[in-house]
Amino acid sequence: MRFVVALLLLVSLLPAEEIKVGYPAPPLTLDRILQSPPGTEADWQQLQGKAVVIEFWATWCPGCREKIPQLNRLIERFAARPVQFISITDEDIDLVTRFLKDQPIAGWVGLDSDGTTFESYGVIPRPFTVLVDASGIVRAATGAGLVTDSIVEALIAGEPLGITEESESHDDVIGQALADTLFELSIRPAGPVAVTEYSPGAIVSRGGRFEGYGLTVRILLAMAYGLPEDRVVAPSWCDESRYDVVLASPLLESSPDRRRLIRQVLTETFRVEVKREARHTEVYVLQKTLEKMPVMKSSEFSSHLRSGKRGNFKVTGGELRDLARLLQRELDRPVLDETGLKGRYDFELLWDIRNPISILDFVRDNLGLELRPKVREMEHLIVQSIERAVTW
């Protein structure tokens, strides 16, 4: 069976949190900082008064390695100026230490082992650089190659950086280079991270072009039928085998067409047959408490920004559905918002990660809301038959 299918596929995951230019920078929740003075902690209180250049990188990323000489030159050039360079990776300390012996990075090197800082900053492609001014406000999020001497000078001085949206990403260049492509789709077994430069599950989507890396069949099924992954009943290999997909098409703006064509591709490639079935499902229902009114703080911000790590999340400008999603991820059970509360709110979640259920007490005592265990009928997708695809 052919493994490259000339049909339309769009993979539409829940987007990662996007860094907000003009807003305070999310916390830097790092496990350790290499090549820094003893006792250094990368928090915005200690860094206040300094401009900060944050580069997200990895040892396996060829583009990151290529930019190290330029980064080191900038660090040397501005060594006596009020600017701090921090290169952050989510890799193991032993691997990073060995890498730095062969290819030194001159500035601080931060270790984000559980990926919370990567998530807070919405990092998918690497290298990815965030520029923060001396007041802790994000001024740009851009490709590392675009950070020049004049941009760092402007960042230190608190002046406009001159980085436009059009110049911020190499993906735009790719999109222009492929502008003549009217229709393109490829599905292939996931390539090594060292080759693709993207971690499994990474999504790059811009304009009429979409790229997904290391996606499982379960993820594809969930998006094709518009259901969460935990409500897709499929063979175990659907979680194990991963695929890279590339799509270019003028039809990306139509959600019904996207789902219909994803289903068509899955049918042709994996010979999949499915049915929808309502099943009794254990859920939590988020409701107002009977004892007191909700104490949610209304937000002045009109967009959602979250930061923090497991056990301590802060949300600015969030809706109740955002709270439900955070609770669902921690409790590993669907959370349904039945509070009836509209608008946007600022709130914080604190709980003991060793005891996830402790989040229920915090929500009741501090937000005036209650999570009640219920059983509800919820739609599931049942995979009745599916075949592994083979290359030719």
Side-chain angles (χ1 to χ4, degrees):
M1 179 188 297
R2 290 194 173 185
F3 202 67
V4 177
V5 184
L7 294 170
L8 174 64
L9 171 66
L10 175 72
V11 181
S12 173
L13 290 172
L14 283 174
E17 295 297 319
E18 293 183 2
I19 192 71
K20 304 291 185 181
V21 175
Y23 283 74
L28 298 170
T29 51
L30 304 178
D31 307 310
R32 188 167 177 178
I33 304 174
L34 308 179
Q35 305 177 169
S36 65
T40 296
E41 292 187 12
D43 62 57
W44 292 114
Q45 185 174 357
Q46 290 195 19
L47 291 167
Q48 192 167 15
K50 282 188 176 182
V52 180
V53 178
I54 307 171
E55 181 184 5
F56 292 91
W57 70 291
T59 62
W60 48 259
C61 168
C64 302
R65 296 195 296 268
E66 290 175 3
K67 296 299 184 289
I68 290 176
Q70 176 194 2
L71 177 66
N72 286 343
R73 186 190 63 76
L74 287 171
I75 294 171
E76 181 179 0
R77 163 78 172 76
F78 291 94
R81 305 289 297 283
V83 58
Q84 183 62 57
F85 292 82
I86 309 175
S87 298
I88 300 177
T89 180
D90 53 1
E91 297 172 289
D92 179 79
I93 183 172
D94 293 334
L95 174 62
V96 175
T97 301
R98 290 196 302 270
F99 176 87
L100 293 175
K101 288 181 179 178
D102 296 327
Q103 196 161 357
I105 295 176
W108 293 359
V109 177
L111 303 181
D112 180 36
S113 63
D114 63 0
T116 54
T117 300
F118 272 77
E119 182 178 2
S120 295
Y121 281 75
V123 177
I124 297 178
R126 311 182 199 190
F128 181 73
T129 302
V130 177
L131 305 178
V132 182
D133 67 18
S135 299
I137 303 298
V138 176
R139 292 305 175 195
T142 180
L146 294 173
V147 180
T148 62
D149 293 46
S150 60
I151 287 176
V152 177
E153 287 281 7
L155 183 66
I156 294 172
E159 300 172 350
L161 304 185
I163 298 178
T164 64
E165 183 176 351
E166 288 75 15
S167 67
E168 286 186 8
S169 173
H170 70 281
D171 294 327
D172 290 318
V173 179
I174 293 175
Q176 293 168 8
L178 297 174
D180 294 334
T181 301
L182 296 179
F183 196 91
E184 176 187 357
L185 168 70
S186 68
I187 309 175
R188 58 183 180 272
V193 172
V195 174
T196 66
E197 302 185 26
Y198 292 100
S199 302
I203 296 295
V204 180
S205 181
R206 186 175 295 273
R209 185 171 178 83
F210 168 88
E211 299 174 9
Y213 297 92
L215 303 179
T216 66
V217 176
R218 185 186 298 273
I219 290 174
L220 296 173
L221 286 165
M223 292 179 293
Y225 291 90
L227 290 173
E229 293 172 48
D230 59 4
R231 282 193 265 147
V232 175
V233 181
S236 60
W237 70 263
C238 293
D239 294 314
E240 299 162 359
S241 300
R242 291 183 176 270
Y243 304 92
D244 296 338
V245 297
V246 177
L247 168 70
S249 170
L251 300 177
L252 295 182
E253 300 304 319
S254 172
S255 295
D257 283 343
R258 288 195 292 245
R259 288 182 177 170
R260 175 178 59 82
L261 291 168
I262 294 171
R263 294 194 292 270
Q264 186 175 351
V265 167
L266 291 173
T267 300
E268 294 291 335
T269 307
F270 300 103
R271 303 299 183 190
V272 63
E273 294 182 6
V274 301
K275 70 173 183 179
R276 295 177 182 267
E277 181 179 292
R279 291 189 171 186
H280 293 298
T281 307
E282 292 184 346
V283 304
Y284 281 109
V285 176
L286 185 64
Q287 298 177 333
K288 300 175 183 177
T289 63
L290 299 176
E291 294 81 9
K292 60 180 179 180
M293 292 294 292
V295 290
M296 303 286 290
K297 178 184 176 183
S298 295
S299 179
E300 60 184 23
F301 295 99
S302 60
S303 59
H304 175 206
L305 178 67
R306 73 177 184 182
S307 60
K309 58 183 179 179
R310 284 195 67 206
N312 185 356
F313 260 110
K314 292 184 178 180
V315 175
T316 301
E319 298 176 293
L320 266 293
R321 63 181 179 179
D322 300 316
L323 174 59
R325 287 171 182 165
L326 288 172
L327 295 170
Q328 178 170 307
R329 186 173 67 176
E330 181 63 22
L331 295 168
D332 195 26
R333 185 185 297 186
V335 175
L336 308 180
D337 172 27
E338 296 185 0
T339 62
L341 296 175
K342 306 298 182 183
R344 294 184 176 273
Y345 303 90
D346 298 338
F347 55 86
E348 184 175 13
L349 292 177
L350 297 172
W351 73 97
D352 182 355
I353 61 175
R354 296 167 299 181
N355 178 26
I357 300 299
S358 64
I359 202 170
L360 276 65
D361 294 333
F362 182 88
V363 169
R364 183 184 61 250
D365 297 339
N366 295 273
L367 303 183
L369 302 175
E370 192 166 27
L371 285 158
R372 296 175 181 170
K374 302 281 187 179
V375 175
R376 295 284 175 84
E377 277 204 348
M378 302 191 74
E379 188 177 52
H380 286 65
L381 185 74
I382 313 300
V383 176
Q384 296 178 297
S385 66
I386 188 169
E387 300 176 7
R388 289 178 184 266
V390 296
T391 56
W392 71 88

XYZ file of all heavy atoms in Angstrom, residues 228-231 281-284 310 323-336 351 356-357 359-360 371 378:
260
model
N -11.699 14.138 22.244
C -10.424 14.045 22.969
C -9.793 12.667 22.783
O -10.485 11.666 22.568
C -10.818 14.283 24.436
C -12.163 14.920 24.382
C -12.835 14.398 23.161
N -8.482 12.619 22.898
C -7.763 11.354 22.719
C -8.212 10.290 23.714
O -8.244 9.098 23.384
C -6.262 11.583 22.866
C -5.653 12.424 21.757
C -4.215 12.780 22.073
O -3.456 11.860 22.453
O -3.855 13.969 21.976
N -8.552 10.708 24.950
C -8.916 9.708 25.954
C -10.287 9.096 25.698
O -10.708 8.191 26.418
C -8.853 10.312 27.365
C -9.783 11.511 27.556
O -10.542 11.832 26.613
O -9.743 12.121 28.625
N -10.990 9.582 24.670
C -12.253 8.966 24.306
C -12.181 8.276 22.938
O -13.181 8.076 22.271
C -13.377 9.998 24.340
C -13.839 10.295 25.766
C -15.133 11.058 25.774
N -14.912 12.490 25.875
C -15.687 13.415 25.308
N -16.702 13.048 24.573
N -15.425 14.684 25.472
N -19.269 7.519 31.683
C -17.911 8.001 31.909
C -17.841 8.730 33.247
O -18.701 9.577 33.538
C -17.486 8.967 30.780
O -17.685 8.316 29.515
C -16.026 9.362 30.926
N -16.829 8.403 34.044
C -16.614 9.125 35.295
C -16.030 10.497 34.994
O -15.014 10.604 34.303
C -15.675 8.337 36.212
C -16.281 7.038 36.729
C -15.356 6.330 37.706
O -14.159 6.696 37.764
O -15.828 5.425 38.401
N -16.662 11.527 35.499
C -16.235 12.900 35.242
C -16.250 13.684 36.546
O -16.773 13.214 37.571
C -17.159 13.595 34.215
C -17.227 12.796 32.923
C -18.556 13.815 34.789
N -15.691 14.872 36.498
C -15.891 15.872 37.547
C -16.713 16.993 36.943
O -16.454 17.436 35.805
C -14.566 16.432 38.057
C -13.841 15.535 39.034
C -12.673 14.872 38.652
C -14.313 15.370 40.330
C -11.999 14.060 39.546
C -13.646 14.557 41.230
C -12.492 13.900 40.829
O -11.833 13.099 41.713
N 3.624 22.349 37.486
C 2.725 21.486 38.248
C 2.797 21.835 39.732
O 3.866 21.947 40.302
C 3.095 20.019 38.056
C 2.679 19.434 36.725
C 2.756 17.925 36.781
N 1.770 17.378 37.693
C 1.901 16.209 38.313
N 2.982 15.480 38.138
N 0.946 15.762 39.127
N -9.846 26.913 33.070
C -9.704 26.287 34.381
C -10.061 24.807 34.293
O -9.364 23.950 34.846
C -10.604 26.997 35.391
C -10.686 26.375 36.791
C -9.312 26.313 37.439
C -11.665 27.151 37.660
N -11.139 24.487 33.587
C -11.561 23.088 33.456
C -10.483 22.249 32.777
O -10.225 21.106 33.163
C -12.872 23.005 32.688
N -9.823 22.804 31.768
C -8.770 22.070 31.067
C -7.589 21.782 31.981
O -7.026 20.687 31.967
C -8.308 22.860 29.843
C -9.303 22.864 28.697
C -8.868 23.825 27.626
N -9.820 23.888 26.524
C -9.828 24.850 25.602
N -8.939 25.822 25.662
N -10.716 24.834 24.631
N -7.185 22.781 32.776
C -6.085 22.575 33.708
C -6.434 21.499 34.730
O -5.612 20.623 35.048
C -5.739 23.884 34.418
C -5.042 24.963 33.579
C -4.956 26.262 34.372
C -3.659 24.503 33.158
N -7.640 21.561 35.247
C -8.070 20.566 36.232
C -8.164 19.179 35.602
O -7.770 18.179 36.220
C -9.434 20.973 36.803
C -9.461 22.274 37.615
C -10.898 22.686 37.906
C -8.671 22.120 38.909
N -8.644 19.114 34.389
C -8.768 17.819 33.705
C -7.415 17.177 33.506
O -7.250 15.965 33.681
C -9.465 18.026 32.358
C -9.613 16.762 31.536
C -10.519 16.983 30.340
O -11.640 17.455 30.475
N -10.040 16.650 29.157
N -6.420 17.973 33.138
C -5.082 17.427 32.911
C -4.488 16.870 34.198
O -3.841 15.822 34.192
C -4.158 18.506 32.330
C -2.798 17.963 31.931
C -1.979 19.005 31.224
N -1.609 20.110 32.098
C -0.817 21.108 31.719
N -0.353 21.150 30.497
N -0.517 22.067 32.560
N -4.719 17.548 35.317
C -4.144 17.097 36.576
C -4.901 15.897 37.140
O -4.306 14.977 37.693
C -4.146 18.240 37.595
C -3.543 17.880 38.942
C -2.074 17.511 38.851
O -1.399 17.918 37.869
O -1.578 16.800 39.750
N -6.222 15.900 37.002
C -7.041 14.852 37.601
C -7.209 13.647 36.690
O -7.737 12.611 37.104
C -8.424 15.420 37.958
C -8.416 16.507 39.033
C -9.772 17.202 39.095
C -8.047 15.919 40.392
N -6.786 13.775 35.438
C -6.865 12.677 34.475
C -8.298 12.161 34.355
O -8.539 10.958 34.338
C -5.915 11.544 34.869
C -5.689 10.562 33.714
O -5.837 10.985 32.562
O -5.376 9.389 33.985
N -9.233 13.093 34.305
C -10.640 12.751 34.168
C -11.338 13.958 33.547
O -10.984 15.099 33.859
C -11.254 12.435 35.536
C -12.704 11.958 35.472
C -13.317 11.765 36.847
N -12.652 10.723 37.631
C -13.094 10.300 38.811
N -14.199 10.838 39.332
N -12.445 9.367 39.472
N -12.328 13.747 32.655
C -13.025 14.897 32.069
C -13.604 15.814 33.138
O -14.148 15.360 34.148
C -14.138 14.245 31.239
C -13.610 12.882 30.914
C -12.810 12.467 32.106
N -13.446 17.117 32.930
C -14.012 18.126 33.831
C -14.981 18.985 33.020
O -14.584 19.603 32.024
C -12.915 18.999 34.464
C -13.543 20.125 35.296
C -11.987 18.157 35.334
N -16.233 19.014 33.428
C -17.275 19.745 32.720
C -17.613 21.017 33.483
O -17.902 20.982 34.677
C -18.527 18.873 32.590
C -18.313 17.459 32.006
C -19.636 16.721 31.952
C -17.663 17.522 30.641
N -1.459 23.170 44.658
C -1.803 21.840 45.159
C -0.551 21.001 45.326
O 0.533 21.358 44.850
C -2.804 21.151 44.220
C -2.241 20.662 42.920
C -1.827 19.408 42.621
C -2.036 21.428 41.719
N -1.385 19.325 41.328
C -1.513 20.553 40.745
C -2.259 22.770 41.375
C -1.193 20.974 39.461
C -1.940 23.176 40.083
C -1.422 22.293 39.150
N -2.791 14.576 43.796
C -3.550 15.434 42.873
C -4.935 15.802 43.378
O -5.442 16.895 43.067
C -3.629 14.570 41.605
C -2.451 13.656 41.686
C -2.285 13.354 43.149
N -5.562 14.922 44.179
C -6.905 15.211 44.672
C -6.928 16.457 45.558
O -7.972 17.079 45.764
C -7.460 13.990 45.439
C -7.530 12.780 44.506
C -8.844 14.265 45.995
C -8.440 12.979 43.306
N -6.134 19.241 44.855
C -6.562 20.403 44.074
C -8.053 20.671 44.266
O -8.512 21.801 44.136
C -6.212 20.189 42.579
C -6.122 21.533 41.851
C -7.229 19.288 41.882
C -5.551 21.408 40.458
N -8.821 19.628 44.622
C -10.252 19.812 44.863
C -10.489 20.738 46.045
O -11.356 21.625 46.004
C -10.939 18.470 45.114
C -11.371 17.655 43.891
C -10.174 17.191 43.065
C -12.214 16.463 44.303
N -15.726 20.711 42.697
C -15.617 19.633 41.716
C -16.342 18.415 42.267
O -15.899 17.817 43.255
C -14.145 19.312 41.447
C -13.405 20.335 40.583
C -11.906 20.235 40.805
C -13.733 20.140 39.116
N -20.949 9.995 27.695
C -20.135 10.806 26.799
C -19.805 9.991 25.554
O -19.596 8.776 25.617
C -18.850 11.259 27.504
C -19.099 12.044 28.781
S -17.625 12.838 29.427
C -17.417 14.183 28.262
